[in-house]
Amino acid sequence: MPHLFTPYLRLLLLLVLLHVAGTTQAQLPAAPQVVSVTPTRNATSVAVSTDLTITFSRPMQATTASAAGLRVYSAQRGGLLEGTYSGGGTSVVGFTPARALRAGETLQVAIPKAAQDAGGTALSQAYSYQFTTRTAPSAGTFASPGVLPPSAPSTYGITSADYNGDGFLDLASCSQGSTSKLQVRFGQGDGTFGSAVDYAMGASYYLTSADLDNDGDLDLVVGNYGQLVVMQNNGSGVFTTLRGFPTASDVRTMATADFNGDGNLDIVVACAASGLVWVHFGQGDATFTITGSTYFTVSAPVGVAVGDVDGDGDLDYVTATAQSNRAFVRLNDGTGTFTAGATLTVGFQPNSIALGDLNGDGALDVVTANQNSSTVSVLLNTNAGTGAFQAATTLNTGSTPTDVKLGDVDGDGDLDLVVSGNTRDVRLNNGSGLFSAGPIISSGAYYAALADVNNDGTLDLLGGSSSSPTGGTSSIGVYLNAATPTLASFSPASGPIGSTVTLTGTNLAGTTQVTFNGRPAASFTVNSSTSVTAVVPAGATSGRIGVTTLPGMSATSVTNFTVAAPVVISLSPTQGPAGTVVTVTGTGFLEATQVTFAGTAAAGFVVNAAGTQLTVAAPVGVRTGPVVVTTPNGTSNGVPFTGAPMLSSISPAFGPAGTVVTLTGAGLLNANAVTFGGVAASGFTVNAAGTSLSVSAPEGVLSGPVYVTTPTA
């Protein structure tokens, strides 16, 4: 009965379609999501001129392409960065910073939870991540003892950022003791700093820079025992002290990040004596709220670091405790609520903790400086998206390490370790999280900072010290890293010994040696960080030019410099008999080995210091012909010298008086007499080259020699 089967089939198909449609609808995400980011999460070698790109799962409202939907925070220059946004109303939002980023800095990117798709649906949760910019290649060593600005006694906390907006990194420090204060020094861009500007401040261990009021400059937060003192920047490096914000007692370290996704920087604070780690939420006006603040109770927390350890798009924190061999992971749920993560076993009394991708897998690893055991613990992330870590690898360090910082100090694209304590140890990463021993700086510091204070693209090392390593008053050590030099070109491409060559490249300011095919230059002058002039030395041969800079880094030219053969320009006098002292002028005479007159070698000669003049006596038997100078780099051109004439042939060799005879030879041009067996000819003709002379045999000619006489013979 077909008329009964058809309606049933249609009803069945309708139910199937409704089921499929319902399943498809249920599988769609209820809210837009971040699909990918550029630069990638936790990248360690991002170009300072990079653009940022955020790709969403669906088109977003136009406001997402603005500071309301995408915020990039620098802790070294500009705070909340200004720039150009793109992609409003699309699924791909871009941001181009208005200025190049600072070398080696770690930036935070925050996409607030208020960002909405085109239909008005907000993100299910905010998204935050970090990346670190590239540094210039270097040896990863630091000049010692460095610049030593005087400081308050017992200077502990130190940070570096551009507070006055001039493009140069400045210094801020805090101290302990009865003379404690906050000190700010403005950088000159070359690794030196102006006099300190002092601000009243109680005894403090730590401070940090952050744009807490979203006005595009960097404020300061100082941990003043049981309170956070916010120093609000007016944009020109002048700070106003806001009221102290209460937190737990004995503030040791702190870090800022947008934990709750509202677009404002919050702060996590490790408070040792009270046994609390507090998270206080920023209001975007340089204040923090007490309401909603969260805390974690743990014995003597002294170190704290921030990063997305479980890869879920929000920033977690890790903390180290001074009375155990433990560190703790606290996982953020995206709203600023933290739950217990992994408990990590490290060396005893970890006083400092840091996060960074040490093996290039995109996940953040943990490093602790263990004061009591004089070690560093390195724990690699399992990269399973859970915030779990492998067992610690232990590195021995100098005694009582109190701080560890991560940064690419040798510019090879991975993060190295700088450990501070009684000494400062540099450990270079091989890219897989394995560290080799590096330089040791004998002077110590409780806390240190890494920043490019001389604008050469490398990370320099800064640290407070209770006394000067050279004796005297308290000071801040500024240890400058040196970028690897490069040689882009040189001019001229060739020249003789003693000539001057201009070298052009980068990072040449610390040049200590210039070589020509391995031979050190006679002298050199450093004109700037991009230019050096050098004098081609005696003994140089054609080959590559090399430059060496402090502390022992070098660069070699891509092409060869040609050491030119000598050039003779002029003679004075240009004629004379044997013994005549002749001054030869030209270039490239410094290594002359021989001077010849028409092929006859002179017995000796003297060359001036510049290699541009040579004095020589015309040799016995001197004939007319070229004067030639020979050096290891070649033989010069010849300049004529008129000496005694020379006859090579006579034709015909016999005949009566009146026979026209052709004399062939050299130096005949100025002939003034011709004799046949002592009888003078009455006249003769010389060709223009002075190589041929025509003469009639004179009356009374006798058999015998034919002589040609010139004024010099």
Side-chain angles (χ1 to χ4, degrees):
M1 293 180 288
H3 60 287
L4 295 176
F5 178 76
T6 301
Y8 174 74
L9 178 61
R10 289 176 178 172
L11 177 60
L12 180 61
L13 290 172
L14 179 61
L15 290 173
V16 170
L17 290 172
L18 287 173
H19 175 72
V20 171
T23 301
T24 303
Q25 185 174 1
Q27 289 175 343
L28 289 174
Q33 299 175 340
V34 174
V35 175
S36 64
V37 295
T38 303
T40 57
R41 183 172 60 93
N42 303 325
T44 59
S45 186
V46 175
V48 295
S49 58
T50 192
D51 294 340
L52 281 75
T53 302
I54 312 296
T55 302
F56 296 89
S57 59
R58 61 186 71 164
M60 303 296 288
Q61 289 185 354
T63 53
T64 306
S66 70
L70 173 60
R71 296 188 173 192
V72 182
Y73 285 99
S74 167
Q76 288 196 356
R77 183 169 68 184
L80 177 59
L81 294 183
E82 297 179 343
T84 303
Y85 292 87
S86 62
T90 73
S91 61
V92 180
V93 174
F95 176 72
T96 300
R99 295 183 294 182
L101 307 177
R102 297 291 309 183
E105 69 167 321
T106 296
L107 295 102
Q108 294 185 2
V109 182
I111 303 164
K113 59 188 176 185
Q116 298 180 356
D117 65 14
T121 302
L123 294 174
S124 57
Q125 71 174 49
Y127 190 94
S128 296
Y129 77 103
Q130 299 169 312
F131 65 87
T132 301
T133 54
R134 182 178 305 154
T135 60
S138 75
T141 56
F142 299 88
S144 180
V147 183
L148 300 169
S151 68
S154 301
T155 292
Y156 279 75
I158 187 166
T159 187
S160 182
D162 180 9
Y163 300 117
N164 59 356
D166 63 356
F168 303 143
L169 294 188
D170 311 311
L171 279 181
S173 60
C174 61
S175 53
Q176 287 280 309
S178 59
T179 59
S180 62
K181 61 187 72 174
L182 168 68
Q183 295 186 301
V184 177
R185 298 168 177 82
F186 295 119
Q188 308 302 302
D190 58 358
T192 63
F193 299 86
S195 300
V197 178
D198 294 346
Y199 294 86
M201 186 66 60
S204 308
Y205 275 107
Y206 203 83
L207 78 169
T208 192
S209 306
D211 187 0
L212 300 175
D213 50 7
N214 296 321
D215 64 350
D217 57 47
L218 289 165
D219 311 302
L220 285 166
V221 189
V222 185
N224 180 213
Y225 195 70
Q227 63 178 348
L228 300 175
V229 179
V230 176
M231 306 294 292
Q232 191 171 31
N233 191 352
N234 70 352
S236 61
V238 177
F239 293 89
T240 300
T241 305
L242 304 184
R243 69 178 182 87
F245 182 83
T247 189
S249 61
D250 194 16
V251 174
R252 290 302 181 95
T253 56
M254 65 193 82
T256 59
D258 180 11
F259 294 120
N260 60 357
D262 65 353
N264 301 316
L265 291 180
D266 313 309
I267 194 164
V268 56
V269 188
C271 306
S274 60
L276 295 172
V277 180
W278 276 97
V279 175
H280 301 296
F281 297 111
Q283 303 304 292
D285 60 358
T287 65
F288 300 97
T289 180
I290 297 177
T291 304
S293 296
T294 63
Y295 63 88
F296 169 52
T297 302
V298 64
S299 176
V302 287
V304 68
V306 168
D308 184 5
V309 299
D310 55 0
D312 63 351
D314 54 46
L315 298 181
D316 315 299
Y317 73 82
V318 292
T319 186
T321 65
Q323 294 181 356
S324 72
N325 63 339
R326 296 286 188 269
F328 298 89
V329 178
R330 303 292 292 176
L331 300 176
N332 190 357
D333 67 356
T335 67
T337 300
F338 294 85
T339 57
T343 298
L344 310 177
T345 301
V346 297
F348 191 71
Q349 197 180 349
N351 194 71
S352 176
I353 192 166
L355 286 171
D357 180 10
L358 302 178
N359 59 353
D361 64 354
L364 293 178
D365 309 306
V366 169
V367 180
T368 62
N370 311 312
Q371 184 172 1
N372 188 269
S373 55
S374 294
T375 61
V376 166
S377 298
V378 178
L379 299 90
L380 299 180
N381 198 313
T382 62
N383 204 13
T386 61
F389 295 83
Q390 301 175 27
T393 299
T394 300
L395 303 176
N396 293 320
T397 68
S399 64
T400 62
T402 52
D403 184 47
V404 61
K405 291 293 188 293
L406 298 179
D408 188 4
V409 299
D410 57 358
D412 63 353
D414 53 46
L415 299 179
D416 308 303
L417 305 180
V418 179
V419 185
S420 298
N422 285 345
T423 61
R424 277 174 268 196
D425 295 6
V426 179
R427 299 299 182 98
L428 301 180
N429 190 352
N430 71 351
S432 60
L434 299 176
F435 296 86
S436 60
I440 296 177
I441 299 174
S442 58
S443 63
Y446 199 84
Y447 291 119
L450 292 171
D452 179 16
V453 297
N454 63 343
N455 291 311
D456 66 352
T458 67
L459 289 175
D460 307 305
L461 176 59
L462 319 169
S465 56
S466 58
S467 63
S468 167
T470 57
T473 60
S474 300
S475 62
I476 290 177
V478 180
Y479 296 84
L480 299 180
N481 197 348
T484 300
T486 65
L487 278 182
S489 63
F490 54 83
S491 180
S494 65
I497 303 297
S499 61
T500 298
V501 180
T502 299
L503 315 179
T504 302
T506 61
N507 306 316
L508 302 178
T511 296
T512 58
Q513 186 180 66
V514 178
T515 59
F516 289 81
N517 204 22
R519 182 65 63 97
S523 63
F524 65 87
T525 301
V526 177
N527 305 314
S528 68
S529 64
T530 60
S531 176
V532 173
T533 53
V535 177
V536 181
T541 55
S542 297
R544 304 298 171 89
I545 298 177
V547 172
T548 302
T549 62
L550 284 172
M553 293 172 293
S554 62
T556 304
S557 63
V558 176
T559 59
N560 287 343
F561 175 81
T562 301
V563 180
V567 175
V568 177
I569 299 173
S570 65
L571 308 176
S572 179
T574 60
Q575 61 184 22
T580 301
V581 176
V582 180
T583 299
V584 184
T585 301
T587 59
F589 298 159
L590 277 179
E591 289 199 304
T593 57
Q594 187 179 68
V595 181
T596 60
F597 288 71
T600 301
F605 48 85
V606 176
V607 181
N608 72 349
T612 57
Q613 280 194 341
L614 180 153
T615 55
V616 59
V620 175
V622 62
R623 301 292 181 179
T624 297
V627 174
V628 174
V629 178
T630 301
T631 71
N633 295 298
T635 300
S636 75
N637 59 306
V639 173
F641 178 83
T642 302
M646 180 186 70
L647 293 178
S648 57
S649 66
I650 181 171
S651 179
F654 57 88
T659 301
V660 177
V661 179
T662 300
L663 307 179
T664 303
L668 308 179
L669 190 61
N670 296 314
N672 55 16
V674 179
T675 61
F676 288 74
V679 178
S682 59
F684 48 84
T685 303
V686 182
N687 71 352
T691 58
S692 178
L693 181 152
S694 295
V695 60
S696 296
E699 292 293 334
V701 62
L702 299 174
S703 297
V706 177
Y707 289 103
V708 176
T709 303
T710 65
T712 61

